Amino acid sequence: MKKPRAAAGSRSRHRKQSSSQEGREKRALSSSQAKPSGPDAGLARRQEEVVLQASVSPYHLFRDTAEVTVLRKNLLSWYDLEKRDLPWRRQAEGEMDLDRRAYAVWVSEVMLQQTQVATVINYYTRWMQKWPTLQDLASASLEEVNQLWAGLGYYSRGRRLQEGARKVRGVKVNTGALRPWVSHNLEPSHPNQVIEELGGHMPRTAETLQQLLPGVGRYTAGAIASIAFGQAAGVVDGNVVRVLCRVRAIGADPSSTLVSQHLWSLSQQLVDPARPGDFNQAAMELGATVCTPQRPRCSQCPMQSLCRAHQRVSHLRKGQSGDLGSDSFPVTSCPVYAAQMEREQLLASQSLPSSGDVEECAPNTGQCQLCAPPTEPWDQTLGVANFPRKASRRPPREECSATCVLEQPRAVGGARILLVQRPNSGLLAGLWEFPSVTVEPSRQHQPKALLQELQSWVGPLPATRLQHLGQVVHTFSHIKLTYQVYGLTLEEQTPVTTSLPGVRWLTREEFHTAAVSTAMKKVFRVYEGQQPGTCKLPDWVLGQRSFLGGISALATQNCEITGLRK
């Protein structure tokens, strides 16, 4: 997007605000011990880039300034014509207040981490309607934040957003319940202080954004700085990784330190200083809609003529047809890549299947650190999708939990179910759930352990009524958690009450609007399917019911399903 112009009167006001803002940021930086100094970190990165570029073949770089100019022009022209109409883009484009603009970008970037655009749109719209400014969010309770975030996943993101908003605004807090960022800035001897580091204004540079705001990493800081403040800061997310690895034929593991440094160096070199925010969004948009993980639409790519991966595929196709020509191997190519290319074209011309010994990198020149290792031969069926190399991932660890839906069907005011609150740190921090206990996969001792957990919340309960109903498997980012679902119905008319903190009896309607995880909603669907008077549905139907209901609602309202970002 083009940076909005400020009115003449507001420009002088922004200059004054900028001057005082710089002072606040310097004071905040000097008091912060959580991260290394922003300027020092920036200098270290520039030194790393110099060393890295000196050791990398020109084949993986952009050494021609004319090539960079063409890339910027082509990508931005494509973006101006093809960009999707998204609410956070409209919000940022039309907002003149720098802090509100930065806040709008910040919320969208945090929500879009590991989450599809189609999912984020409704959450973002509701969030901005409820908390249109940083001050509004800072005044909200964590319970409200968790409630709105419920179902979006990665729940610490919402909590850190609010922590950052409170740090920007400056709030009085009690050190007994401080978040980690507060403990770095308050003396332990002062139980209540007003934090005034930022004076209600967002940091204005990528370095200070990353330095001062909790949960803001290098990517998010660069996105906010470029889109909201016009700083020429590059960004690297999953989409940009894919685009850059293909454009410069980088086949090594993109999660490795060396390749990651190289990708950040490229992004910083390429970002357009005149339209940095638009350029970064264009690169991400290209990766999301054209240069996709599978079946990329190369014929519609504005960077096709500059793409090393596309050139490589074209050379191999020529090899298969026998039309190699005398200039098949570019003089500027990586030596190791050239050796690989020669072997691959020979292989293609002979119509032989790919094998490790044919794909072997030139042993005399050594293995290029940015090319794919010899153990991972080129797959001709993938084409440009050979890049980037898929990083090896550890499988999530497996855990088992017994959880119980405890219901009082005859409670005053209607049936009630018991929810307890999770700790304020760790997985699903602060969310509500059915009483649960970690158990061994064997169900032999689960009822006893679960009954003890239930009784710790509500007192003595009849063990004979605890029934096993089924199981739910839910995978978090690093944990595959199997919930063994139990149910216990209290038929007595005398209601069970408790005055313990972190315990609630909710109606079924209240449950569906509470701050509960998607896993707990799955558990409750299993429980509902076992109740008298309800239809017992197969597991695959239970798992798809909410999805089908959503599609039905969309069809009824004649809505349009939006495309995905990731």
Side-chain angles (χ1 to χ4, degrees):
M1 71 183 180
K2 295 182 179 178
K3 189 176 177 181
R5 294 182 178 179
S10 65
R11 281 197 293 268
S12 61
R13 182 172 65 255
H14 286 161
R15 283 195 293 270
K16 293 178 182 178
Q17 290 178 348
S18 177
S19 177
S20 59
Q21 177 71 10
E22 289 177 5
R24 279 189 294 269
E25 290 179 7
K26 288 179 180 178
R27 290 193 297 273
L29 283 169
S30 65
S31 65
S32 175
Q33 303 297 321
K35 302 175 185 177
S37 160
D40 289 346
L43 177 61
R45 285 174 189 157
R46 288 192 292 273
Q47 290 173 341
E48 288 174 355
E49 291 168 2
V50 171
V51 173
L52 180 62
Q53 290 200 12
S55 62
V56 170
S57 165
Y59 182 76
H60 301 294
L61 301 173
F62 286 91
R63 288 289 176 88
D64 188 348
T65 56
E67 192 176 32
V68 173
T69 301
V70 170
L71 183 148
R72 291 171 177 168
K73 179 182 178 182
N74 290 354
L75 184 58
L76 286 169
S77 297
W78 170 84
Y79 180 70
D80 289 338
L81 292 174
E82 302 294 338
K83 65 179 178 182
R84 291 171 290 180
D85 180 24
L86 299 173
W88 42 91
R89 289 178 180 165
R90 294 195 302 270
Q91 186 98 11
E93 287 174 356
E95 182 57 65
M96 300 302 299
D97 182 276
L98 293 179
D99 292 306
R100 294 186 68 150
R101 187 193 311 166
Y103 169 63
V105 175
W106 185 13
V107 172
S108 67
E109 290 299 336
V110 171
M111 285 189 171
L112 286 165
Q113 293 168 9
Q114 304 296 321
T115 310
Q116 297 172 343
V117 163
T119 301
V120 169
I121 288 176
N122 287 335
Y123 279 91
Y124 179 83
T125 301
R126 294 198 304 270
W127 183 285
M128 297 304 293
Q129 287 173 348
K130 190 174 183 66
W131 303 302
T133 68
L134 275 163
Q135 289 72 23
D136 294 323
L137 176 58
S139 300
S141 68
L142 180 58
E143 175 73 12
E144 290 177 297
V145 171
N146 284 338
Q147 189 171 345
L148 195 149
W149 201 277
L152 195 56
Y154 298 92
Y155 295 91
S156 62
R157 295 180 296 170
R159 184 178 70 252
R160 287 175 178 170
L161 257 175
Q162 189 189 42
E163 290 173 2
R166 289 182 170 179
K167 186 171 185 181
V168 170
R169 187 194 70 169
V171 293
K172 184 176 289 188
V173 293
N174 187 310
T175 55
L178 288 179
R179 301 289 183 242
W181 63 265
V182 178
S183 62
H184 293 295
N185 297 295
L186 294 183
E187 295 295 331
S189 58
H190 295 78
N192 292 286
Q193 290 190 7
V194 177
I195 301 171
E196 295 179 333
E197 294 165 300
L198 302 178
H201 296 289
M202 289 279 289
R204 294 297 196 257
T205 67
E207 291 77 14
T208 52
L209 283 161
Q210 185 178 355
Q211 177 72 20
L212 298 175
L213 298 184
V216 172
R218 190 175 181 182
Y219 162 76
T220 305
I224 297 172
S226 61
I227 299 171
F229 301 129
Q231 181 188 356
V235 299
V236 175
D237 74 340
N239 290 316
V240 175
V241 165
R242 186 164 53 256
V243 170
L244 292 180
C245 283
R246 290 174 180 174
V247 170
R248 292 295 92 171
I250 299 171
D253 183 356
S255 65
S256 70
T257 300
L258 184 139
V259 177
S260 177
Q261 289 175 350
H262 184 60
L263 294 174
W264 276 102
S265 177
L266 287 178
S267 72
Q268 188 60 47
Q269 177 190 7
L270 296 176
V271 63
D272 192 325
R275 297 176 61 187
D278 284 350
F279 182 89
N280 286 335
Q281 290 183 94
M284 293 185 282
E285 187 87 343
L286 186 71
T289 62
V290 174
C291 194
T292 52
Q294 287 86 33
R295 299 185 180 87
R297 299 183 291 162
C298 295
S299 62
Q300 300 178 35
C301 180
M303 299 168 69
Q304 184 189 83
S305 63
L306 305 171
C307 181
R308 301 280 197 218
H310 185 263
Q311 293 167 6
R312 185 171 189 173
V313 171
S314 298
H315 282 307
L316 289 174
R317 286 175 179 168
K318 286 182 181 179
Q320 288 177 325
S321 64
D323 180 21
L324 295 178
S326 59
D327 59 347
S328 294
F329 307 107
V331 177
T332 59
S333 67
C334 170
V336 177
Y337 163 75
Q340 275 187 290
M341 178 71 76
E342 185 174 5
R343 288 164 174 74
E344 287 164 3
Q345 289 186 337
L346 177 63
L347 176 67
S349 65
Q350 296 173 344
S351 299
L352 293 175
S354 177
S355 61
D357 54 351
V358 176
E359 292 284 341
E360 171 179 56
C361 286
N364 295 330
T365 59
Q367 171 63 38
C368 171
Q369 296 184 68
L370 294 181
C371 285
T375 55
E376 297 191 14
W378 177 270
D379 186 341
Q380 296 184 48
T381 64
L382 294 178
V384 300
N386 278 280
F387 301 99
R389 174 186 170 194
K390 290 184 179 179
S392 57
R393 294 182 178 180
R394 292 182 179 179
R397 71 174 187 267
E398 297 192 14
E399 294 184 1
C400 186
S401 176
T403 186
C404 179
V405 180
L406 178 63
E407 183 171 23
Q408 298 185 78
R410 301 183 183 181
V412 178
R416 305 270 172 168
I417 52 179
L418 179 69
L419 290 181
V420 298
Q421 192 170 28
R422 291 185 60 84
N424 286 328
S425 62
L427 182 68
L428 306 174
L431 295 185
W432 294 84
E433 66 177 4
F434 300 114
S436 305
V437 60
T438 301
V439 294
E440 295 297 323
S442 170
R443 285 169 41 197
Q444 182 178 358
H445 303 293
Q446 288 179 9
K448 181 179 179 180
L450 185 57
L451 190 63
Q452 289 176 345
E453 177 70 12
L454 290 168
Q455 291 175 341
S456 70
W457 293 108
V458 298
L461 291 170
T464 55
R465 296 183 185 175
L466 189 63
Q467 295 183 340
H468 183 262
L469 306 178
Q471 72 176 29
V472 165
V473 179
H474 190 83
T475 302
F476 300 93
S477 58
H478 58 293
I479 300 173
K480 182 179 180 181
L481 188 52
T482 299
Y483 293 93
Q484 295 297 338
V485 183
Y486 290 80
L488 198 162
T489 303
L490 302 179
E491 299 294 345
E492 291 80 0
Q493 294 185 2
T494 303
V496 176
T497 59
T498 178
S499 57
L500 294 175
V503 181
R504 288 181 178 177
W505 288 96
L506 300 181
T507 65
R508 295 191 177 205
E509 292 73 20
E510 289 170 337
F511 168 80
H512 289 294
T513 58
V516 297
S517 67
T518 301
M520 287 299 105
K521 292 180 179 179
K522 291 180 179 179
V523 167
F524 192 60
R525 286 202 295 269
V526 171
Y527 175 77
E528 285 185 304
Q530 298 283 354
Q531 297 310 295
T534 60
C535 177
K536 176 67 171 68
L537 299 176
D539 289 342
W540 70 270
V541 175
L542 290 171
Q544 298 293 327
R545 187 167 60 181
S546 62
F547 170 76
L548 296 173
I551 295 297
S552 176
L554 286 174
T556 302
Q557 298 172 26
N558 193 27
C559 293
E560 179 179 331
I561 299 178
T562 312
L564 304 182
R565 179 189 188 189
K566 295 183 182 287

